[in-house]
Amino acid sequence: MGYQPIILQAERDFSVSPGALWDLLANTDQLNREIGMPYVAYGPVVVSADAFYREAGARFLGLFAARWREYPFEWVRGERYAVLRVFEAGLLDVFHGGMELRSHTDGTLVRIFAEVTPRTVIGWGMARLMGRKGIRDTLAFCERSVATRNSGSDSPSSPPSRVSPVDRDRLDQLLAALRGSRLSERLVARFARHVVAAPDREVLRMQPFALADGWGADRTAVLRLFIQAERLGVLYHTWEILCPNCRVPHAEVATVGGLPSRVHCDLCAVEYDADLTQNVELRYSVHPSLRPASGETYCIGGPANFPHIWAQQYLLPGAERAVSVTLPAEPFRVRALRVNAVCPLDPDPAGPSEVAFTYRDDGWYQMRQRFVPGPVTARFRNETAHVIVAVIEQVQWNPLAITAAQVMTLPEFRELAQAEVRSAT
Ligand SMILES: [Zn+2]
């Protein structure tokens, strides 16, 4: 006889907006690392008529190796998310967990939940122990981060729990050199704090414009600082080629000259071109000689990995689901992952607040839909005999990404190009 699921949950109030908590909790890669979950090895996407998942494996508590099928996260941006993991063998059978945010006049109520079905008596004990600990640690992470935020400090949101050490001598040399340039003292100091105290993942694959916005600094000044820091040998840049559908990077090269002309995305099952004006992005990482940051992956499926997707929904054959999501006045589209069938969803003040999307074997039945900006109910219906994963996504690309074409218009690009020539020799 099988075990009953163990249902665990906890709620807590925070005096911040749902958006602030969403930013913390939707970044499941950071969250899992912060609450002491193990890093995960992911396999390719597996798609059949009745399932759509990724193989995954990890070692829990350094002892229990587990392999599972990870189904796509389901979410509504700013409101809730959940993930289903079905274990192949061993202590656990099924895990379903996630969170919900409810806004009220004084702030936001967070509910963290987990439903774990064990397969053995040890699994039963472990599920209770780890489930409770996971929920407690998640809420504690929110509390620490909200406290940092409310104190007005611009230190990284999380305490330096998993931060690799910085070579102090090298950092001092860097700061002296940067201060000798035309950069502002305040900006150099902010950059130094980030390099020293941010978690490992946040000093790898950095987006200079996103950091500039977070620091309240000028974007070009931050990019100039990064180019200088690279010249001093403490940062290095890479070009990432993002899939035009899912916007996940699938190739990373050191020089523009090294860009492959075509790249394959396994999530979307497409081949695509590297387009310098659109999907080739500039990122910076801290050089291992300054700080040996490790870029292990803790979660690749959470909402923060796909910030342009406002809602994602898993639909079994014949399923009908309604999703309520608040959409701003900008173009969206509905897409079925993998098959990439698309239906445009355009803002229109005279449009409806309820919109239907019917999926058939030849794609979306609707040619184009309109919505009135604000709360919208999307009614999905899967009329095919196979699973689909439907998303509502922004059409506009991330304005924080620096594309190759943008960089080439800056005078500083010459220095970057020289760095590429140096690294290529
Ligand atoms: Zn893709």
Side-chain angles (χ1 to χ4, degrees):
M1 199 185 78
Y3 283 82
Q4 292 290 317
I6 299 163
I7 297 166
L8 303 164
Q9 65 160 335
E11 292 184 341
R12 198 156 304 168
D13 254 318
F14 291 93
S15 58
V16 293
S17 67
L21 283 162
W22 176 260
D23 289 344
L24 287 174
L25 293 168
N27 189 345
T28 48
D29 188 74
Q30 169 177 271
L31 175 65
N32 286 358
R33 189 179 55 231
E34 285 295 326
I35 66 172
M37 297 294 285
Y39 60 87
V40 179
Y42 289 95
V45 175
V46 179
V47 181
S48 65
D50 57 359
F52 185 121
Y53 60 87
R54 228 180 238 287
E55 300 276 5
R59 186 171 285 277
F60 288 85
L61 307 173
L63 293 170
F64 305 102
R67 292 199 58 77
W68 67 89
R69 293 178 172 191
E70 176 145 328
Y71 288 82
F73 273 67
E74 292 189 296
W75 71 84
V76 172
R77 181 177 164 133
E79 291 180 24
R80 61 185 159 85
Y81 69 73
V83 63
L84 175 69
R85 298 184 172 128
V86 177
F87 291 81
E88 285 174 2
L91 304 175
L92 301 180
D93 190 2
V94 179
F95 167 93
H96 181 251
M99 68 97 194
E100 276 174 13
L101 303 174
R102 213 159 338 122
S103 112
H104 56 78
T105 46
D106 303 322
T108 308
L109 181 73
V110 180
R111 184 172 83 93
I112 311 287
F113 61 91
E115 199 178 300
V116 195
T117 311
R119 198 178 268 134
T120 68
V121 69
I122 297 174
W124 185 84
M126 195 178 92
R128 284 175 67 86
L129 199 75
M130 286 189 57
R132 283 187 179 150
K133 182 180 179 311
I135 290 174
R136 204 172 51 232
D137 291 352
T138 301
L139 290 171
F141 166 69
C142 291
E143 267 170 14
R144 285 198 305 270
S145 305
V146 168
T148 307
R149 187 191 146 98
N150 288 349
S151 72
S153 155
D154 61 357
S155 304
S157 58
S158 45
S161 55
R162 279 152 198 269
V163 174
S164 50
V166 168
D167 182 328
R168 287 281 170 180
D169 291 343
R170 209 157 150 65
L171 180 70
D172 290 344
Q173 286 165 12
L174 165 72
L175 296 182
L178 288 176
R179 285 187 180 119
S181 61
R182 286 169 299 149
L183 296 159
S184 90
E185 176 73 30
R186 197 175 153 267
L187 181 60
V188 172
R190 186 66 195 82
F191 170 69
R193 275 206 300 285
H194 183 78
V195 166
V196 171
D200 281 12
R201 289 278 280 190
E202 291 177 26
V203 295
L204 299 173
R205 305 180 54 239
M206 292 180 279
Q207 290 179 297
F209 285 2
L211 288 174
D213 288 7
W215 299 345
D218 178 69
R219 289 181 174 183
T220 313
V222 173
L223 180 58
R224 199 173 291 144
L225 183 151
F226 275 56
I227 291 173
Q228 294 254 25
E230 172 157 36
R231 205 161 48 111
L232 297 164
V234 294
L235 296 184
Y236 65 92
H237 75 266
T238 46
W239 298 99
E240 295 194 345
I241 310 162
L242 281 61
C243 168
N245 277 317
C246 64
R247 307 181 197 182
V248 166
H250 290 286
E252 189 184 295
V253 293
T255 65
V256 172
L259 287 169
S261 56
R262 295 201 49 88
V263 181
H264 176 77
C265 174
D266 78 326
L267 183 61
C268 299
V270 290
E271 293 268 323
Y272 60 91
D273 297 328
D275 177 350
L276 297 184
T277 64
Q278 182 66 266
N279 65 341
V280 177
E281 189 188 343
L282 176 65
R283 300 265 186 148
Y284 281 89
S285 297
V286 71
H287 197 277
S289 64
L290 177 65
R291 178 174 159 184
S294 96
E296 278 145 348
T297 301
Y298 289 75
C299 184
I300 61 170
N305 293 294
F306 311 95
H308 59 290
I309 295 182
W310 287 50
Q312 177 161 298
Q313 187 71 54
Y314 191 86
L315 295 158
L316 290 166
E320 230 175 309
R321 298 278 290 274
V323 177
S324 295
V325 55
T326 301
L327 298 179
E330 64 169 88
F332 282 82
R333 61 182 196 172
V334 162
R335 179 168 61 94
L337 296 192
R338 191 87 177 178
V339 281
N340 301 315
V342 165
C343 175
L345 175 60
D346 296 318
D348 178 352
S353 61
E354 237 189 79
V355 197
F357 296 96
T358 311
Y359 191 76
R360 294 185 175 165
D361 283 323
D362 54 354
W364 298 102
Y365 169 69
Q366 292 79 8
M367 300 291 285
R368 179 174 283 275
Q369 288 287 38
R370 295 170 304 124
F371 70 98
V372 59
V376 173
T377 301
R379 294 196 178 279
F380 290 105
R381 210 171 127 103
N382 177 11
E383 292 188 353
T384 70
H386 55 86
V387 163
I388 63 159
V389 183
V391 304
I392 302 175
E393 66 187 359
Q394 266 172 314
V395 172
Q396 200 204 342
W397 275 65
N398 182 359
L400 298 176
I402 305 176
T403 65
Q406 260 177 306
V407 177
M408 286 167 189
T409 63
L410 294 174
E412 285 83 1
F413 174 69
R414 223 171 333 132
E415 287 191 38
L416 193 68
Q418 281 162 3
E420 293 201 343
V421 171
R422 276 200 304 275
S423 74
T425 53

